Amino acid sequence: MTTNLYKAKRPIVVDTHLCGTPSYCLMAIVKPSGELLRLLTFLICLLHHSSAGYDVESVVGERSLLSANLKLVGGTMEFGPDVKRLDLTASLETDSRLHVRITDADHPRWEVPQDIIPRPTSVSEDVLLGSPGMDNATLPSSATISKVSSDLTFSIHTNPFRFTVSRRSTGDILFDTSATLIFKDRYLEVTTALPAGRASLYGFGEHTKRTFRLQPNDTFTLWNEDLERSDLLDRNLYGSHPFYMDVRPGGNAHGVLLLNSNGMDILYGGSYITYKVIGGVLDFYFFAGPSPLAVVDQYTQFIGRPAPMPYWSFGFHQCRYGYKNVADLEEVVAGYAKAKIPLEGVWSDIDYMDHGQDFTLDPINFPVNRLRPFVDRLHSNGQKYVVIIDPEIKRQATPNEDIFLKRNGTNVVGRVWPGEVYFPDFINPRAVEYWAQKISEFRRTIPVDGLWCDMNEPSNFGAWQPLNALDDPPYHINNSGTHRPLNNQTVPVSTVHYNGVSEYNAHNLFGLFEARATHAALLKDTARRPFVLTRSTFPGAGRYAAHWTGDNSARWDELANSINTMLSFGLFGIPMVGADLCGFRGNTSQELCSRWIQLGAFYPFARAHTERTTERRELYVWESTAQSARKAFGTRYRMLPYIYTLMYEAHTTGAPIARPLFFSYPRDADTYGVDKQFLLGRGVLVSPVLQPGATTVDAYFPAGRWFSLYDHNYPLTVATRTGKRVTLQAPVDSANVHLAGGNILPLQQPALTTSAARQGEFHLLVALTENGTASGELFLDDGESMEMGGVGGKWTLVKFSCSTAESKGIITTTVSSHVVQNSYAPSRAQVIGNVVFMGLQSPAKGFTIYVNNVELKAARTKSRTTGAFSVSGLSLAIGKEFQIKVVMSH
């Protein structure tokens, strides 16, 4: 809210979001400065404070639980009447998670359903009846809950009410609300202060952003919308994620989730965050960290771990909206084979459908007698076929069952690709059964390997007239950047779901519900690990699906911005993410497409997808892009064992596959703003070209040793005791990729499919720190079992370590393996045939190699003064522990 002083000679605008206590008021000083302006600002803040807020009536609690009753003080009629009585509960649900919930004390309100994010039920006063209570006469100025085993402390301040969350070990204030709490039926507002200049924030999506780190004075609207992501920056897009991570100087990080599915605006002012929400409750969760990886671990433990993706999904995929017929698909497959570019999956957009209808085939261009043999040939070649589906059923093709969204007692009739459509209500169990049946029936005709859920915000090609008050809420969020009505280009918010749930409350959950139903249908029909790609997301969607960044454009800024979106979704618990290579809309250039391939080969999910009016740009069309593709995807396919192991880590700990640099170097404040580079896992640094005509790249290298992943002959690029920027040459056919000292990478030989690549022997790439240490791990399974690393499953996990010791002029570097689990049978036969050491000191008098304490005389070795040293001709079973010693005399 802003206040204008209209009687001044020129209007002075004061941001009253900062108001609530004198300390906030003092931050609300605007230019031009002056004592009069300071006084006026302070008085306006006090006026705003007096018009909204609550006092604490009573508090009851114990060490880790607290409940309080709040009563309205003042209030305004703007956006409707205030709720007079509120209940607050605060509980340390785990040592690393604090829950703070504020809701109407007298009436139930909409909350995110338990089956979406299962969680402990809210603490009630009944639980705390035996605890000491404080009424209005005995209330202290504050009350606190904490425990020795937790680093989080919650404090409630009584009159006026506000609360703080702090880090017990440091005293750092993590969340500090103002006293201007507003709680109405369809408008909730709360503001928290941030330490200006000390908080680096990341998250709040989905939006197209120029930077990964949030910039002050940004407004983030959360309302799932079918917008082209390249239209304008910071517009609300397909997903809603009211979660952020805050990294403070020194590397301590924490996370904050507002678990609320209603539309909202989030204002980030640098020194404050204001939430403006149009329904539900204020349901905050705080995650203690203290490392960025720990925050994501704690967050995904709460919202659900990322789904394991099948091994084949990490290959390269080709799609186009506009493939004319089966012959067109066959030419694409042949083109990739001829160019010797890896191709894992062929995808069909709505072209395969009969007039845009789900679960049908175009009888002329994609008849079953042509498409089925094509898919069978793909499968025989180790390749896959994926098709698009939309959450709309053609009106004339719908069953008589009552399974669709309703408005005013009848099915909602929208308009999408097939014409007039109904929308399945995925909250309804019978709709979920119907969806599963249609998927199963379609797969009997065409055995697709995965499903791509598009248009699931849900999208609709028209607008609606208001039916009731829900269609026109008192506060208009900044939908599409123009405060566009909520009903535009989707189903109306007065739509009713199963059990009377309103679309007004559940809109942002629609895509998650569809992804969950699709995942369950594939799991039931195939008894294998499903692959589902979804456009619309919400916290918890990663339990069921991967995500792509939607309808981007073939522009250089879109190339750069894709990194920010990819990194954000890693925070959101959806690590399998990528952008359409070379852009979806608009024609590209050879240079832009080549550079996009060089970056996109390191997206967790790598797919090229283009719009039908664009010029064809499969990666083999131009020799320059084909050369980039062979090199970049050759490297990706070599790294598949490492990338798949990162998927296992993501599934078990929530760790993103693609990570910002501060995840590995949280104490290095210079990494906090790096968003033109990223890490795969903890130590593979990708530094792509993001500008036209560039022949160099300005790259940041944190402290340590960094080795080129492309050039093992002269691998050491940077060795620094402190982080520094380095200007790198930018070859026309590849991005710069480096491996941090201290990492052991499992690799295999590249091939044109993932199944072929998996047949080769393994190599280990050992990048040593300055003191000669390194570590890594390898996860193996069949790549398609329903669970990944579960109890009783067939899988293998091997941990590698390297150490170096010196005694009497003899330096011994030892690589060892420790087999944690070995129930995947092929791992007993697959072998490591080659080990490459990078950063090994060159021996002055020679060296000796021992394998399991037996001297290896027949091994082929190469020793270079550049620090690369390889041992080949080995045959070490993955599933059997081994030890390799390199003994050197100096």
Side-chain angles (χ1 to χ4, degrees):
M1 184 183 298
T2 57
T3 299
N4 289 300
L5 305 183
Y6 290 106
K7 293 185 178 180
K9 290 185 178 179
R10 57 174 176 159
I12 299 171
V13 180
V14 177
D15 190 348
T16 53
H17 292 107
L18 301 177
C19 302
T21 67
S23 62
Y24 292 114
C25 293
L26 291 176
M27 291 189 292
I29 297 169
V30 296
K31 293 180 179 179
S33 60
E35 291 304 316
L36 178 60
L37 181 56
R38 291 172 187 269
L39 177 60
L40 289 172
T41 302
F42 184 81
L43 292 174
I44 290 170
C45 288
L46 291 180
L47 176 64
H48 185 70
H49 164 60
S50 67
S51 67
Y54 290 80
D55 282 347
V56 178
E57 278 193 306
S58 63
V59 177
V60 59
E62 55 184 25
R63 290 180 183 176
S64 58
L65 305 175
L66 180 147
S67 179
N69 299 121
L70 313 180
K71 67 175 181 179
L72 180 68
V73 178
T76 71
M77 288 303 295
E78 186 179 22
F79 307 135
D82 294 89
V83 174
K84 298 185 183 304
R85 296 177 62 249
L86 300 177
D87 279 344
L88 176 145
T89 56
S91 59
L92 281 163
E93 296 183 340
T94 70
D95 285 347
S96 59
R97 184 174 78 231
L98 169 69
H99 180 200
V100 179
R101 176 176 174 268
I102 303 174
T103 189
D104 189 330
D106 301 311
H107 303 95
R109 294 181 62 82
W110 165 259
E111 300 185 46
V112 173
Q114 279 278 348
D115 66 332
I116 289 294
I117 299 179
R119 54 201 186 272
T121 55
S122 298
V123 179
S124 68
E125 289 192 32
D126 295 337
V127 178
L128 300 168
L129 279 178
S131 305
M134 296 169 282
D135 59 21
N136 217 15
T138 61
L139 279 177
S141 60
S142 64
T144 296
I145 62 172
S146 65
K147 55 183 181 179
V148 174
S149 56
S150 175
D151 205 19
L152 293 175
T153 296
F154 171 85
S155 297
I156 184 172
H157 307 270
T158 52
N159 292 310
F161 160 75
R162 62 188 187 89
F163 74 86
T164 57
V165 179
S166 58
R167 189 178 295 281
R168 192 171 58 85
S169 60
T170 63
D172 204 10
I173 302 296
L174 310 183
F175 204 80
D176 184 6
T177 66
S178 74
T180 34
L181 170 65
I182 301 174
F183 203 114
K184 302 171 185 287
D185 181 35
R186 287 187 290 155
Y187 183 76
L188 287 63
E189 181 182 321
V190 64
T191 294
T192 177
L194 293 169
R198 294 188 62 246
S200 291
L201 266 59
Y202 311 86
F204 291 147
E206 177 181 10
H207 307 84
T208 298
K209 302 172 186 173
R210 281 200 184 94
T211 62
F212 176 47
R213 181 163 56 181
L214 305 187
Q215 298 302 307
N217 304 317
D218 274 349
T219 297
F220 302 100
T221 299
L222 303 190
W223 183 257
N224 294 357
E225 186 77 52
D226 178 7
L227 284 176
E228 293 181 26
R229 66 176 310 112
S230 57
D231 280 353
L232 285 172
L233 295 170
D234 299 325
R235 300 286 180 91
N236 52 300
L237 291 171
Y238 317 109
S240 291
H241 294 270
F243 171 80
Y244 72 88
M245 179 184 290
D246 182 345
V247 183
R248 302 284 172 90
N252 278 347
H254 65 275
V256 179
L257 168 68
L258 173 58
L259 185 58
N260 184 302
S261 62
N262 290 86
M264 67 182 77
D265 287 335
I266 303 173
L267 286 66
Y268 171 50
S271 59
Y272 68 94
I273 298 171
T274 295
Y275 297 87
K276 298 181 169 189
V277 192
I278 60 173
V281 302
L282 295 174
D283 202 12
F284 284 103
Y285 289 84
F286 301 89
F287 305 92
S291 70
L293 273 174
V295 171
V296 178
D297 184 5
Q298 295 151 12
Y299 180 53
T300 57
Q301 187 178 41
F302 175 66
I303 65 169
R305 299 296 197 195
M309 295 290 149
Y311 199 98
W312 62 263
S313 66
F314 290 95
F316 169 70
H317 307 269
Q318 177 64 55
C319 184
R320 177 177 172 85
Y321 174 29
Y323 283 140
K324 300 184 296 295
N325 48 40
V326 175
D328 208 353
L329 298 180
E330 291 170 336
E331 289 176 8
V332 169
V333 174
Y336 275 97
K338 182 180 179 181
K340 292 183 170 48
I341 299 171
L343 178 65
E344 190 68 20
V346 177
W347 293 44
S348 283
D349 207 310
I350 62 173
D351 312 284
Y352 79 93
M353 298 177 178
D354 185 8
H355 294 91
Q357 299 179 68
D358 280 348
F359 312 118
T360 66
L361 297 177
D362 180 335
I364 305 299
N365 297 307
F366 293 87
V368 65
N369 63 346
R370 289 290 309 277
L371 185 58
R372 177 61 185 260
F374 167 73
V375 173
D376 290 343
R377 287 193 298 274
L378 285 178
H379 289 164
S380 65
N381 196 40
Q383 295 169 309
K384 307 296 179 181
Y385 185 57
V386 180
V387 298
I388 197 171
I389 54 173
D390 296 326
E392 306 96 15
I393 302 297
K394 187 175 175 65
R395 186 178 184 182
Q396 291 80 1
T398 54
N400 294 324
E401 297 179 71
D402 191 16
I403 58 172
F404 299 102
L405 298 181
K406 298 279 190 290
R407 191 187 196 214
N408 207 21
T410 61
N411 289 344
V412 173
V413 180
R415 180 167 291 277
V416 196
W417 304 117
E420 289 189 339
V421 297
Y422 293 157
F423 299 88
D425 178 7
F426 292 105
I427 298 179
N428 188 331
R430 286 184 295 143
V432 173
E433 293 173 5
Y434 164 78
W435 194 248
Q437 177 186 345
K438 298 301 291 185
I439 288 173
S440 181
E441 290 172 355
F442 183 73
R443 290 195 74 257
R444 303 287 77 77
T445 304
I446 303 296
V448 297
D449 300 283
L451 290 171
W452 165 23
C453 299
D454 195 16
M455 308 287 285
N456 57 345
E457 291 72 34
S459 181
N460 174 62
F461 295 161
W464 310 81
Q465 292 301 313
L467 176 67
N468 56 37
L470 289 178
D471 291 316
D472 187 24
Y475 174 75
H476 292 178
I477 61 173
N478 193 26
N479 187 25
S480 306
T482 59
H483 299 278
R484 190 164 83 172
L486 301 181
N487 287 350
N488 278 36
Q489 212 161 325
T490 186
V491 298
V493 296
S494 52
T495 294
V496 178
H497 292 256
Y498 180 74
N499 276 347
V501 173
S502 73
E503 176 70 4
Y504 183 88
N505 291 323
H507 172 81
N508 287 340
L509 299 174
F510 188 95
L512 188 157
F513 279 122
E514 190 208 10
R516 183 175 69 172
T518 306
H519 183 276
L522 284 175
L523 189 63
K524 180 180 178 181
D525 196 59
T526 67
R528 296 195 302 269
R529 193 178 303 170
F531 177 76
V532 178
L533 184 73
T534 182
R535 189 168 75 175
S536 182
T537 60
F538 186 80
R543 294 166 59 193
Y544 310 108
H547 175 66
W548 93 107
T549 64
D551 295 347
N552 61 358
S553 292
R555 301 198 315 246
W556 286 94
D557 62 324
E558 285 283 275
L559 170 67
N561 293 340
S562 71
I563 298 176
N564 304 322
T565 304
M566 173 183 66
L567 295 179
S568 293
F569 273 86
L571 300 185
F572 299 152
I574 308 177
M576 189 63 160
V577 59
D580 288 341
L581 272 67
C582 303
F584 175 69
R585 297 188 183 278
N587 290 321
T588 187
S589 66
Q590 292 189 47
E591 182 190 14
L592 173 58
C593 195
S594 291
R595 293 305 191 189
W596 213 317
I597 291 164
Q598 294 160 24
L599 166 60
F602 298 96
Y603 291 154
F605 172 62
R607 182 188 71 163
H609 178 43
T610 57
E611 198 267 335
R612 61 182 174 177
T613 63
T614 62
E615 297 174 357
R616 296 288 285 262
R617 50 175 175 260
E618 288 79 12
L619 309 193
Y620 56 78
V621 169
W622 299 304
E623 179 52 33
S624 61
T625 58
Q627 183 176 341
S628 291
R630 282 189 289 267
K631 188 164 185 178
F633 283 102
T635 300
R636 179 188 181 91
Y637 276 57
R638 285 191 70 215
M639 292 176 60
L640 283 173
Y642 174 69
I643 296 172
Y644 190 65
T645 300
L646 293 177
M647 178 71 257
Y648 168 72
E649 185 181 355
H651 177 56
T652 53
T653 72
I657 296 173
R659 307 173 189 177
L661 273 65
F662 67 77
F663 266 56
S664 291
Y665 303 90
R667 294 183 178 276
D668 183 352
D670 288 335
T671 64
Y672 298 174
V674 174
D675 54 17
K676 302 300 183 284
Q677 303 165 264
F678 61 94
L679 293 168
L680 280 183
R682 68 177 185 178
V684 175
L685 178 63
V686 182
S687 307
V689 172
L690 303 174
Q691 295 178 331
T695 58
T696 60
V697 172
D698 180 31
Y700 183 78
F701 287 87
R705 304 164 102 190
W706 294 89
F707 302 90
S708 171
L709 205 60
Y710 282 118
D711 188 354
H712 296 172
N713 293 329
Y714 298 93
L716 184 59
T717 300
V718 174
T720 175
R721 295 189 180 278
T722 59
K724 69 176 183 179
R725 291 204 162 271
V726 177
T727 299
L728 303 171
Q729 294 300 307
V732 295
D733 62 351
S734 60
N736 280 278
V737 185
H738 293 86
L739 179 61
N743 288 273
I744 298 178
L745 239 58
L747 306 170
Q748 282 183 299
Q749 290 302 302
L752 298 184
T753 63
T754 62
S755 59
R758 295 195 74 182
Q759 305 307 311
E761 68 178 18
F762 287 88
H763 295 177
L764 292 183
L765 192 58
V766 183
L768 300 175
T769 61
E770 194 170 352
N771 62 6
T773 61
S775 63
E777 61 184 39
L778 171 65
F779 177 88
L780 292 172
D781 66 3
D782 62 10
E784 62 178 16
S785 295
M786 289 185 284
E787 184 49 73
M788 189 179 197
V791 176
K794 297 179 179 179
W795 51 280
T796 293
L797 178 63
V798 182
K799 293 183 178 291
F800 304 105
S801 62
C802 182
S803 61
T804 300
E806 182 174 4
S807 177
K808 298 179 180 180
I810 304 296
I811 298 176
T812 303
T813 298
T814 305
V815 173
S816 304
S817 73
H818 171 58
V819 179
V820 178
Q821 167 91 3
N822 187 29
S823 55
Y824 177 55
S827 68
R828 298 163 195 163
Q830 289 182 294
V831 299
I832 296 172
N834 187 40
V835 177
V836 176
F837 295 86
M838 296 194 295
L840 197 65
Q841 294 186 29
S842 298
K845 300 180 181 179
F847 57 86
T848 307
I849 299 171
Y850 297 90
V851 176
N852 298 327
N853 294 318
V854 176
E855 185 177 351
L856 190 66
K857 296 183 178 180
R860 295 186 297 275
T861 64
K862 294 181 180 179
S863 177
R864 300 179 184 275
T865 57
T866 56
F869 182 96
S870 65
V871 181
S872 57
L874 301 172
S875 185
L876 303 172
I878 288 289
K880 188 175 181 180
E881 294 185 350
F882 64 83
Q883 185 183 78
I884 301 173
K885 289 184 178 180
V886 180
V887 181
M888 298 178 294
S889 301
H890 281 264

